Amino acid sequence: MNAEQLDIKTPEYVSLQFQSAGLGSRAAAFIIDQIILLIVNILIIIGLLFMINGTFMDFFSADMPSYLIAGAIILIFIIRWGYFFAFEYFSGGSTLGKKMVGIRVIQENGHSITLLSSLLRNLLRIIDSLPMNYLVGMLMIFFHSKHKRLGDLVAGTIVVHERRKKKMKLTPIEKEIQKRGLSRENLVLNDYDLRRFNEKDWKLMKTYSNRFLQLSVDDRILLTRQVAEIVSPKLGMPVEDKGYEELENLLLVLYLLLKDEWEFEL
């Protein structure tokens, strides 16, 4: 089945669009992961044998201690299971294979996968792999409308294609902000503070930024002071004692923060 468009509304009422990952892309990622794990398993076996016996051929001998074989099997199982669990949780939902293919696991609400979700979906690989070669899992992915295997259904997760970020050229004002060494971290506003700014405030900051580089120095100082006096009550900071360059930097960073809020692009 082909990848299908998914519309997900987050708890923050933001609408996100994803392409669900079908059987082909998920199988390709799984094969890559299996090759990586096979290499790791071979290296583990060789390392254990050379550490204990000094030779690889002793692994096939009848005198090979059963505890060593059992230990190697347990270690390989832990690594195989832990590989998917750890990578998906600590790497934003992607194993090495998923990263190469360009897919990742997310929760159904659009948020990143949680520790519990990663634990559940990977524990259920045991059932999805039955009776052999992931037959149950493949059938589920192929026939389910959102390409979910059993582990995804129980964990409340879904595998999607990564959204490619378009490389946007910097606007003149963004180049000026970059030139000044400013970033969003220069002005710390929590969610409550940001919600105090409405669309009218955003339009004011957008107009200010559009005119910023077109004005003479004197006109820019005057406009900066006027705009700062308008937004200062919502910023919760006095502006009377600030120099014009400090006010400019403050307003330019505020422009970046409001741009994220009011020009959110999917």
Side-chain angles (χ1 to χ4, degrees), residues 234-251:
K234 294 185 178 181
L235 285 172
M237 60 178 67
V239 296
E240 294 78 9
D241 57 343
K242 296 184 182 295
Y244 78 90
E245 186 173 348
E246 188 177 0
L247 286 178
E248 285 180 355
N249 292 342
L250 176 67
L251 295 180

Side-chain angles (χ1 to χ4, degrees), residues 10-53:
T10 70
E12 296 79 19
Y13 301 103
V14 176
S15 181
L16 302 176
Q17 292 183 334
F18 294 96
Q19 291 286 339
S20 61
L23 181 59
S25 54
R26 293 182 68 168
F30 183 74
I31 290 171
I32 294 171
D33 287 326
Q34 292 303 309
I35 292 173
I36 293 171
L37 285 169
L38 178 62
I39 294 172
V40 172
N41 293 341
I42 291 173
L43 292 176
I44 289 173
I45 292 173
I46 293 175
L48 285 173
L49 292 172
F50 271 92
M51 243 182 351
I52 296 174
N53 297 318

Side-chain angles (χ1 to χ4, degrees), residues 41 56 73 77 93 103 128 141 145 147 158 179 186 201 215 238:
N41 293 341
F56 176 68
I73 292 173
F77 173 79
I103 60 177
D128 281 313
I141 293 170
S145 60
H147 307 302
I158 189 168
K179 181 180 177 182
N186 292 110
D201 298 318
L215 298 173

Side-chain angles (χ1 to χ4, degrees), residues 120-136:
L120 288 174
R121 80 183 304 273
N122 285 298
L123 277 176
L124 286 168
R125 284 184 184 277
I126 298 173
I127 299 177
D128 281 313
S129 63
L130 297 175
M132 60 171 52
N133 299 325
Y134 271 82
L135 180 59
V136 171

Side-chain angles (χ1 to χ4, degrees), residues 6 23 60 99 104 114 128 140 151 166 185 200 202 210 220 223 238 248-249:
L6 293 175
L23 181 59
F60 300 100
K99 283 183 184 293
R104 67 187 177 102
T114 63
D128 281 313
M140 286 285 297
K166 295 181 180 179
E185 285 70 30
K200 184 178 179 181
W202 158 240
N210 289 337
R220 196 165 74 192
L223 180 62
E248 285 180 355
N249 292 342

Side-chain angles (χ1 to χ4, degrees), residues 79-115:
I79 289 175
R80 288 180 65 84
W81 178 83
Y83 168 85
F84 290 98
F85 165 70
F87 265 101
E88 286 183 356
Y89 178 65
F90 292 105
S91 298
S94 294
T95 61
L96 295 177
K98 287 184 175 70
K99 283 183 184 293
M100 294 178 68
V101 175
I103 60 177
R104 67 187 177 102
V105 186
I106 61 172
Q107 294 188 89
E108 287 183 322
N109 61 7
H111 286 183
S112 298
I113 188 171
T114 63
L115 182 67

